[in-house]
Amino acid sequence: MVALRSRRLEGLFGVLLDAVSHAQIAALKMNAVSESYDLEFKGELYGGNDKAKRDLAGDVAALANTAGGVLLLGVAEDDQARATELPGVALSDAEVLRIRNIVADQVHPLPTFDVKQIEDPDKPGHGILMIAVPRSPSAPHGVLVNEGLRYPRRNGASIIYLTEAEVAAAYQDRFARRQSRHDELLRYERDLIGRLDVSDQTYVVVTLVPDLSGDFTLDTKALRAFQQETRDKDLLVIPRGAYVRHVTVGSRRLLAHGGSEPAMAKWIACELHQSGAGTFAALAANRTDLAQPGQVDENTTVSRIEDEDLVLDIWSGLRLLARHARDRAAAGGTATVRVTIVPVNTDLPAELRHPRGHANFGGSLGTHQVTESPQATSVFDIDDLAEDGPGLIAAASILAAGLIQHFGYPETLQITTDGVIRTKYWSSQRYGPGVQQWATQANVDMTDDTVD
């Protein structure tokens, strides 16, 4: 279910929204709870005529345009909008699909929402349909009415429609939110880079900012739990010996890294913010081991970045940051993600290589070195990144390609944008067995196909 968080509704039900039971909904009747800006009751399913479909679309859009909330189908109300009866509705996957299709057809842009079937334990196949709608970062959402769009929002327990001036202001707010997320990406990335020891190491840095912020309590209990999760652990999806040594807190954030000095991060690092945002860095090249005399000047070293390491670093960073956003900070919906490689400059260019081939000496990829930090940015669903599966692989492939293309090479070899793993592009001794084991556990397809 979508990660809808509402302290008011959670207090009303006594549990997180994705754990609400039929008994907890029945308590709304006992307590004569009234509809509000984030809670709506419907005694029956939405009908099949045009007006009923518009009502469904309008109810979902209004919640997305305001503060988010839930629609409870199967809860009847009195003339004061208080829950009075639980007649319930017939539950079926077909009805859930119908609701999804109606909203997709009539609400633009499509907001994030989910539908949960909550069965009455005394009436199998019967119960409550909960439609959960988070507040949307893409607001305003319009509802199709007579080939035009109208923009609803909640006003207490009722719905009003935005005026033309209010619609214009809502679009300005949307664009301002996007700029704010971009600014946060750069700031959080810069904060972590400023703590990295780049004297002889080059890093892949992944930064994630949820489109709708979350929150968690940063206290001693949270720090201890974070220490247990990370200290002396390898944070990469496929371990390669990058262990966390120092775990502490900063201003509104948890900090972890693998260096020997508390203040200077090395090998692997992350900063996880209370908002659900976060930044992750992992070694892409140890220049002490891999650097060779450069082509620009004989005294210039080059970061020799292997494609498998780059892909693994992005893959690992996405999963770690998304799980922080979803599971610790309860941020839901989509997130903006940026990846880059640092340090890269005219005095320290980078080249892309692979370790595979004759005698495992490998070779170069792409057509040229880069002399500015390459970067790629995209937007993904947080749930897709947090779960081991094709969605995570597809996202890692998209972002990795965004970096790889800066070197003059067209695509990611190890994984595809369809969420498939290409086994022939993982070194058999270093990563191959671990990748295949992970793919089997995550039900991710593997292929022996090669890129022509």
Side-chain angles (χ1 to χ4, degrees), residues 97 119 186 201 203 208 228 364 373 387 393 409 413 425:
L97 179 61
E119 190 172 59
L186 296 182
Q201 295 188 348
Y203 298 86
L208 179 150
Q228 291 178 350
S364 63
S373 290
E387 293 295 331
I393 292 297
Y409 198 82
L413 294 174
Y425 293 101

Side-chain angles (χ1 to χ4, degrees), residues 49-300:
N49 58 42
D50 290 345
K51 180 182 181 305
K53 292 178 181 179
R54 283 196 301 272
D55 287 344
L56 168 58
D59 288 340
V60 171
L63 287 172
N65 286 339
T66 314
V70 296
L71 304 167
L72 297 177
L73 312 188
V75 178
E77 61 189 290
D78 61 17
D79 56 5
Q80 295 183 25
R82 295 177 301 196
T84 56
E85 298 294 338
L86 266 71
V89 296
L91 303 180
S92 70
D93 292 340
E95 178 60 22
V96 172
L97 179 61
R98 187 182 79 95
I99 290 172
R100 290 188 178 281
N101 288 338
I102 290 171
V103 176
D105 287 342
Q106 300 203 16
V107 182
H108 307 277
L110 178 63
T112 298
F113 74 102
D114 209 344
V115 185
K116 180 180 181 181
Q117 303 181 62
I118 305 174
E119 190 172 59
D120 183 341
D122 297 327
K123 296 181 180 179
H126 206 75
I128 307 297
L129 275 181
M130 173 190 283
I131 304 176
V133 188
R135 178 173 64 89
S136 176
S138 300
H141 296 270
V143 176
L144 190 62
V145 179
N146 298 326
E147 299 184 357
L149 292 175
R150 298 189 68 191
Y151 296 85
R153 62 167 293 146
R154 302 283 293 187
N155 182 28
S158 62
I159 289 179
I160 60 173
Y161 287 86
L162 301 182
T163 65
E164 183 178 359
E166 289 172 331
V167 171
Y171 275 104
Q172 289 178 338
D173 288 343
R174 180 200 286 180
F175 300 141
R177 289 192 296 270
R178 287 180 178 173
Q179 183 60 49
S180 177
R181 290 195 295 275
H182 177 72
D183 293 343
E184 288 177 344
L185 276 173
L186 296 182
R187 184 172 73 254
Y188 296 149
E189 177 187 277
R190 187 167 55 246
D191 288 349
L192 180 57
I193 291 174
R195 296 179 53 244
L196 294 176
D197 181 353
V198 296
S199 61
D200 61 356
Q201 295 188 348
T202 301
Y203 298 86
V204 171
V205 180
V206 184
T207 307
L208 179 150
V209 175
D211 291 341
L212 289 175
S213 296
D215 194 14
F216 70 96
T217 301
L218 182 50
D219 55 13
T220 301
K221 180 180 179 181
L223 175 59
R224 287 175 178 168
F226 184 57
Q227 289 171 332
Q228 291 178 350
E229 294 170 10
T230 57
R231 181 170 286 160
D232 297 325
K233 303 290 197 312
D234 189 322
L235 302 183
L236 299 179
V237 174
I238 310 300
R240 67 172 182 226
Y243 297 105
V244 169
R245 301 304 183 195
H246 290 280
V247 182
T248 186
V249 297
S251 176
R252 295 181 57 80
R253 69 194 73 180
L254 295 163
L255 309 174
H257 70 82
S260 58
E261 299 295 331
M264 185 61 69
K266 196 167 185 176
W267 303 107
I268 194 163
C270 63
E271 294 192 359
L272 307 179
H273 297 257
Q274 280 186 262
S275 65
T279 309
F280 171 89
L283 181 70
N286 186 343
R287 299 195 300 276
T288 302
D289 297 333
L290 297 178
Q292 298 292 329
Q295 300 175 4
V296 177
D297 182 272
E298 64 180 9
N299 296 319
T300 300

